[in-house]
Amino acid sequence: MIAITIEKLVKKFGDTVALNGISLRIEPGELFFLLGPSGCGKTTLLRNIAGFYIPDEGRILFGDEDVTALPPHKRNTGMMFQSYALWPHMTVAKNVAFGLEERRVPQAEIRQRVQTALESVQMGPYAERKIAQLSGGQQQRVALARALVIRPRCVLLDEPLSNLDARLRLEMRSEIRRVCKENGLTAIYVTHDQKEALSISDRMAVLEGGRIAQIGTPEQVYRRPKTRVVADFIGETNFLNGKIQSLDGAKALVETNEGLFEGFLGDPEWMPSAGDSVLLSIRPESWSLCSAPALMNSVKGRIGESVYLGEVAQYQLQASAHDLKVFELNPHISARAQGQEFFALASVDDVVVLKP
Amino acid sequence: MSRSFSRLVFLVTAIFFVLFFLWPISETLYGAFIGSDGKFTIDYIAEVFRNPLYVEGLWNSLQMGVWSTLLASLIAIPLAWMSDRFFFPGKSLLGALVLVPMIMPPFVGAIGVKQILGQQGALNALLVDIGLLDSTHPIDWLGEGRIWGVIILNALHLYPILYLNVLAALANVDPAMEEAAENLGCTGFRKFCRITLPLIMPGIFAGGTIVFIWSFTELGVPLMFDFTRVTSVQIFYGIKDIGANPFPFALVVVLLCATVLLYAGSKLLFARDSHAMMAKATSQGGPRQAGLAMGLVCSGAFGLVTFLAVLPHIGVILVAFSTDWYQTILPRGWTLSHFEAALGHSLTLPSIQNSLKYAGLATILDLILGVAIAYVVVRTRLAGRQILDAMAMLPLAVPGLVLAFGYLAMTQEGKPFAFLNPTIDPLIILVIAYSVRRLPYVVRSAAAGFQQTSVTLEEAAQNLGCPPLRTLRRITIPLIAANLLAGGLLAFSFAMLEVSDSLILAQKQQDFPITKAIYELYQLLGEGRFVASALGVWAMAFLAVTIIGTSLILGKKLGAIFRA
């Protein structure tokens, strides 16, 4: 179990700056996610950690050891590739044994460890199969076993579930968390699927244009996004434009053309002043629909389109200047007829004030 | 792989090319443009165009190139079209067999052609037999200058190159383009001429250029026909006094300029104008089942072409087994004595040994260089890798005769490479000559292998602790083994039957490879052609065993090897 420290990493490809001064620390045994839209630099960062790219500036530390200039084969990381990269000319067992052979582990021990690794991903009976004879989910398990059997210093996962169907994805993501936690592994997981990140990560970093937009636990990132991009990328949200009326520590009073709102600043280091333009982010599920207005944090509107999904209903609420998304749990959709007027209320805790 | 290693590979291959490709050419240029007084002169080149003998040679070479290419296109384009459009009975077998003539030695086939088409040959005998010809006035099929024999043999030898190119070009044509033409009322042959043919022109030109360069400078076949009024043979005879005579140099330079201009011209022409690759295919094309009539036509065409192409070699086999063959359709009697004579001749066994040694070493050198170059070109972002790629393809544009001559020129006494002079020991210079000319095939097939193999397969191995070079050995090479085998096999086969380097560079009897031994045996009076044919049959049998054996090991059909 080691910590991974990344210091002011810069990586350029020609004129494009793929990573622009990334610094972060991943704690020992942590399941850490790198998240962001495509082109944000998350895979580039992972490949720097694996050693396939050498950064132009900055350092990468495994524990106290500086590995920045170390070639990939000396880093002892276990990587799982998006395409799995299983070798078609070898059997399942040979694929898994490869890393141990490179480490000159005695034959008897290799056999035993390969078998254990395959069993731990429920692939024990498939040891002598050819890779082409496996389904996508089975290949994924073999790739995981191959990365873990060498007892790496850390596991690197590059969108490992993106080639699987939805059901298998659900099953495998908890499987990956279980295996990482059971072995006490430091793991870095790259994905663009926010559900994967929210459901199994200890902490995550959201990347945006080669920089880190936010680091935090799933709840911190979801409930207190620091930037507009983070709020937009993780989950769904409603944006309202407004101007700051007054400030009270991290709390701000914001005037919008739907009414007055009180909320918390998303970025605690941000120091706006009264009169500044801001953006409010309010999640669809934090609204509650009432028939009476409140002093603050309420929007008047008419029900537009609605989608009934059983456990939840999604309404479009047509307010004076915005169309809002409103989710209602355990809904009574017959009581929310199209055209009917309602007030949507959000609690202070659910209103996030962002830079526009 | 680490940058420094890639740079090293780049440097080593680049130095190899400078020394054994650019240097011999520049030595030739030096000989052609620098007079005995050490000053620059164009007198020698001018004299080439003033001397009627040389002009006639050039004119004949040009005819040889143009007619061979046209004839090969006439054979290859219809075949490729049929193969692209239809399934027909026996397609996979016929499609493989139709490629076989490419590795049959045309220069050995010449013996067979003379036997069949000669004035006292089998065809005239057949016509006399069925009463169409008066035996006292035989038809001279080959023409007085024998140029038609050369052209027919070249075309029958080289059409597979065009066939493969055209087939690839046809596969690239978006079927929607033709459907659009049909939709607008243009069908059949008209559609082929107005839409399909223009679209596959780059492919036809790419193949046609290689065929032209090859036949324009062919040495072995005209030599076997005693057709001496052609530039390649004039150069060959001029080599005897290479130290004193500047005209072989000048002739080589003229050939070189013509081929390089043609090669560069066709590259430029189609680099600007690559419309065939503009769009990805939008609809599934693929061949369809041919009707009964069309199926028979297709199968018949493939069978007939293959038969005609191997007919010269069948002739050779018959000659090898015959006691006498003169003015008859088939030989008058059969014997095995020529094979004994061939094996018993002091030239034979050493020549087989030599050929195996030269071709084997050249293939190994090709594989090492080819994998290295393909790796740098496909897998690294090293500046200048495109130059390396272009360099590795250049031997296709430079005739073997020119390079062979250049090697001879650069190893003359007093030159820096005199220690490699072939009159001392031709081993090194022959191996290099063989390998440089075949390098493009190996580089191409290795590069295709690298392109088909995802780089993450290599990264996964490095991630698990495998250093780059061992990754190449444990992961990459096994994955591209089929490609390497195909490329290596092609290189080996061509090297075994190489003519111009062998005739020019092997100068002592004990150093002769098979081809030069066949040529020397053929010169013997009396039994000559029978014994030469017998050795030719040995060589062909040997080659067939190699290729069939490899295709069995590969578990693939013969054709797949040559398409890689």
Side-chain angles (χ1 to χ4, degrees):
Chain A
M1 250 200 259
I2 50 152
I4 296 172
T5 314
I6 291 161
E7 290 175 0
K8 296 180 190 139
L9 217 60
V10 174
K11 177 70 192 172
K12 294 176 191 149
F13 296 109
D15 292 335
T16 335
V17 183
L19 298 178
N20 194 355
I22 300 250
S23 293
L24 56 89
R25 182 183 153 82
I26 297 155
E27 301 301 331
E30 195 173 28
L31 178 50
F32 192 90
F33 269 64
L34 296 174
L35 195 65
S38 51
C40 70
K42 55 190 190 297
T43 296
T44 307
L45 179 55
L46 193 77
R47 291 174 64 81
N48 271 286
I49 297 170
F52 295 124
Y53 294 151
I54 303 299
D56 296 308
E57 290 168 36
R59 294 202 306 161
I60 300 169
L61 303 171
F62 284 4
D64 296 326
E65 186 194 348
D66 186 341
V67 298
T68 317
L70 210 60
H73 61 277
K74 292 187 180 149
R75 293 199 181 192
N76 197 16
T77 63
M79 183 150 171
M80 224 177 119
F81 293 81
Q82 187 173 5
S83 59
Y84 311 139
L86 297 172
W87 301 299
H89 62 303
M90 299 180 185
T91 61
V92 167
K94 277 276 159 205
N95 263 277
V96 178
F98 185 91
L100 298 173
E101 287 164 10
E102 286 303 319
R103 282 163 179 70
R104 306 261 182 276
V105 175
Q107 274 303 321
E109 190 188 337
I110 289 183
R111 253 195 308 278
Q112 185 254 321
R113 273 170 72 177
V114 166
Q115 198 52 38
T116 316
L118 284 175
E119 272 159 17
S120 81
V121 294
Q122 284 113 49
M123 287 295 292
Y126 297 91
E128 294 312 314
R129 289 276 184 100
K130 284 267 182 197
I131 297 305
Q133 296 170 310
L134 302 182
S135 71
Q138 290 170 330
Q139 290 187 16
Q140 206 263 353
R141 287 164 194 272
V142 175
L144 186 61
R146 187 179 69 179
L148 294 180
V149 75
I150 58 169
R151 295 178 191 147
R153 288 197 283 188
C154 64
V155 194
L156 308 175
L157 304 132
D158 185 10
E159 309 220 12
L161 304 182
S162 63
N163 289 331
L164 299 182
D165 61 55
R167 256 190 76 152
L168 218 47
R169 259 207 301 263
L170 280 183
E171 188 186 318
M172 282 310 296
R173 75 186 186 203
S174 32
E175 179 86 359
I176 286 176
R177 183 174 170 90
R178 176 183 68 78
V179 173
C180 287
K181 290 296 162 191
E182 268 177 14
N183 295 290
L185 288 162
T186 309
I188 305 176
Y189 190 129
V190 164
T191 185
H192 62 262
D193 182 339
Q194 31 145 334
K195 289 236 164 70
E196 253 165 63
L198 291 172
S199 58
I200 61 168
S201 72
D202 293 322
R203 281 192 312 149
M204 61 170 94
V206 184
L207 270 67
E208 178 193 337
R211 293 172 187 277
I212 290 180
Q214 187 167 4
I215 301 179
T217 62
E219 192 186 4
Q220 285 165 349
V221 174
Y222 188 81
R223 292 195 57 89
R224 283 277 180 279
K226 274 186 176 175
T227 69
R228 181 198 175 114
V229 172
V230 175
D232 203 19
F233 186 74
I234 310 280
E236 286 189 74
T237 195
N238 296 293
F239 287 123
L240 288 94
N241 294 304
K243 267 195 169 57
I244 292 186
Q245 220 173 50
S246 66
L247 280 153
D248 171 18
K251 257 190 198 174
L253 204 61
V254 177
E255 176 70 50
T256 76
N257 41 20
E258 307 292 352
L260 203 57
F261 279 85
E262 192 179 24
F264 286 92
L265 298 182
D267 186 352
E269 281 154 35
W270 178 37
M271 295 291 181
S273 41
D276 283 358
S277 291
V278 292
L279 200 64
L280 299 183
S281 162
I282 304 166
R283 302 279 183 199
E285 70 276 10
S286 41
W287 299 109
S288 48
L289 294 173
C290 314
S291 43
L295 260 179
M296 274 192 302
N297 292 9
S298 79
V299 178
K300 188 171 102 175
R302 289 173 190 283
I303 300 278
E305 300 286 321
S306 59
V307 179
Y308 182 69
L309 293 171
E311 84 276 18
V312 65
Q314 304 177 349
Y315 305 108
Q316 182 195 20
L317 193 73
Q318 294 161 339
S320 60
H322 299 86
D323 271 357
L324 300 177
K325 275 175 286 188
V326 175
F327 295 169
E328 187 184 27
L329 264 176
N330 193 17
H332 295 281
I333 194 165
S334 51
R336 314 273 189 228
Q338 194 163 15
Q340 224 177 329
E341 206 169 77
F342 283 101
F343 295 90
L345 254 66
S347 76
V348 178
D349 215 27
D350 291 333
V351 178
V352 183
V353 183
L354 301 170
K355 274 185 230 182
Chain B
M1 198 166 304
S2 68
R3 269 184 97 72
S4 52
F5 186 81
S6 312
R7 285 213 186 90
L8 184 73
V9 168
F10 186 97
L11 200 69
V12 168
T13 45
I15 289 174
F16 181 84
F17 253 86
V18 169
L19 290 187
F20 297 111
F21 187 74
L22 299 181
W23 194 299
I25 290 174
S26 68
E27 281 291 354
T28 313
L29 290 173
Y30 184 89
F33 286 110
I34 307 295
S36 50
D37 52 359
K39 291 210 181 80
F40 177 82
T41 173
I42 56 162
D43 282 356
Y44 301 142
I45 303 284
E47 178 59 24
V48 164
F49 290 102
R50 260 185 249 129
N51 185 328
L53 210 63
Y54 292 150
V55 171
E56 193 197 352
L58 281 171
W59 176 242
N60 283 336
S61 287
L62 190 67
Q63 290 205 47
M64 230 159 62
V66 170
W67 290 113
S68 302
T69 312
L70 283 179
L71 198 56
S73 317
L74 283 180
I75 300 170
I77 296 173
L79 287 185
W81 181 79
M82 288 178 208
S83 172
D84 185 63
R85 292 305 140 100
F86 301 112
F87 289 115
F88 48 85
K91 181 175 176 181
S92 55
L93 180 67
L94 287 168
L97 285 178
V98 86
L99 298 175
V100 168
M102 185 161 61
I103 50 146
M104 299 289 250
F107 127 98
V108 176
I111 304 174
V113 167
K114 280 172 88 173
Q115 195 62 54
I116 294 164
L117 294 183
Q119 291 201 24
Q120 315 299 334
L123 182 60
N124 280 346
L126 178 74
L127 293 175
V128 170
D129 242 35
I130 55 177
L132 285 176
L133 194 71
D134 174 8
S135 62
T136 51
H137 297 95
I139 301 176
D140 182 10
W141 295 100
L142 294 172
E144 209 183 322
R146 308 194 183 287
I147 190 165
W148 281 103
V150 181
I151 290 168
I152 291 170
L153 257 175
N154 277 338
L156 287 177
H157 172 224
L158 298 172
Y159 76 85
I161 294 177
L162 255 165
Y163 170 81
L164 288 175
N165 273 286
V166 176
L167 201 59
L170 277 169
N172 261 343
V173 172
D174 185 346
M177 304 238 182
E178 298 194 348
E179 286 163 9
E182 275 174 45
N183 176 256
L184 295 171
C186 177
T187 56
F189 190 64
R190 217 175 129 67
K191 178 185 74 178
F192 180 80
C193 293
R194 293 195 59 189
I195 306 295
T196 318
L197 201 57
L199 286 174
I200 60 171
M201 246 337 162
I204 296 177
F205 249 78
T209 309
I210 295 177
V211 172
F212 178 84
I213 290 172
W214 202 314
S215 46
F216 178 53
T217 59
E218 172 67 41
L219 172 63
V221 178
L223 264 182
M224 293 302 264
F225 275 106
D226 284 328
F227 181 46
T228 54
R229 281 169 295 163
V230 61
T231 308
S232 52
V233 177
Q234 288 169 342
I235 293 171
F236 180 65
Y237 286 139
I239 283 168
K240 295 189 178 88
D241 51 352
I242 186 172
N245 185 357
F247 290 108
F249 288 93
L251 286 172
V252 168
V253 167
V254 172
L255 285 191
L256 177 68
C257 289
T259 55
V260 168
L261 278 179
L262 179 76
Y263 187 75
S266 77
K267 284 263 162 191
L268 278 179
L269 191 63
F270 290 107
R272 270 188 293 129
D273 193 20
S274 60
H275 41 225
M277 320 299 170
M278 205 164 59
K280 254 195 168 166
T282 48
S283 72
Q284 285 292 314
R288 60 190 164 83
Q289 195 61 48
L292 183 65
M294 195 64 210
L296 285 178
V297 169
C298 291
S299 306
F302 272 78
L304 183 67
V305 166
T306 308
F307 174 72
L308 286 178
V310 296
L311 192 58
H313 300 94
I314 295 174
V316 173
I317 295 173
L318 292 181
V319 173
F321 282 104
S322 60
T323 50
D324 192 16
W325 192 2
Y326 187 74
Q327 289 188 339
T328 50
I329 306 171
L330 288 173
R332 289 181 199 198
W334 307 98
T335 177
L336 286 172
S337 64
H338 305 309
F339 287 91
E340 283 170 41
L343 282 184
H345 197 280
S346 61
L347 270 175
T348 304
L349 285 181
S351 77
I352 293 177
Q353 253 174 15
N354 286 335
S355 270
L356 282 177
K357 190 167 65 183
Y358 302 150
L361 289 174
T363 307
I364 292 170
L365 185 60
D366 270 339
L367 284 172
I368 294 170
L369 285 172
V371 169
I373 292 174
Y375 186 90
V376 171
V377 169
V378 179
R379 283 288 194 262
T380 71
R381 315 196 134 264
L382 222 58
R385 62 187 195 283
Q386 284 94 347
I387 298 172
L388 194 66
D389 188 38
M391 234 161 42
M393 288 301 115
L394 266 187
L396 286 179
V398 175
L401 179 68
V402 171
L403 269 183
F405 188 84
Y407 290 130
L408 202 59
M410 75 190 260
T411 53
Q412 288 306 299
E413 223 168 294
K415 302 282 185 189
F417 283 96
F419 67 94
L420 291 177
N421 192 303
T423 53
I424 305 162
D425 182 1
L427 175 68
I428 296 175
I429 202 75
L430 262 179
V431 166
I432 289 171
Y434 280 6
S435 63
V436 166
R437 298 263 321 284
R438 274 103 210 140
L439 189 59
Y441 307 110
V442 183
V443 171
R444 269 289 161 265
S445 49
F450 279 120
Q451 273 154 0
Q452 288 155 9
T453 309
S454 166
V455 70
T456 55
L457 293 174
E458 289 163 22
E459 287 175 353
Q462 289 182 36
N463 175 257
L464 293 172
C466 193
L469 267 184
R470 199 153 69 232
T471 303
L472 196 65
R473 183 167 61 73
R474 287 199 64 184
I475 305 296
T476 321
I477 300 286
L479 285 172
I480 65 171
N483 293 64
L484 295 183
L485 196 59
L489 196 66
L490 203 56
F492 182 79
S493 312
F494 280 152
M496 282 292 282
L497 300 165
E498 210 288 338
V499 175
S500 38
D501 290 323
S502 312
L503 290 190
I504 292 176
L505 293 173
Q507 304 196 342
K508 278 189 303 181
Q509 269 210 11
Q510 76 257 31
D511 299 327
F512 284 177
I514 291 179
T515 39
K516 184 140 190 181
I518 292 175
Y519 176 67
E520 290 290 322
L521 288 175
Y522 188 68
Q523 307 288 313
L524 299 176
L525 288 173
E527 292 255 282
R529 64 178 166 147
F530 298 107
V531 181
S533 295
L535 183 50
V537 171
W538 278 118
M540 287 191 280
F542 196 79
L543 208 61
V545 168
T546 320
I547 288 171
I548 293 169
T550 321
S551 72
L552 284 181
I553 297 167
L554 256 178
K556 280 185 181 175
K557 286 189 225 89
L558 195 62
I561 295 178
F562 294 99
R563 248 176 269 134

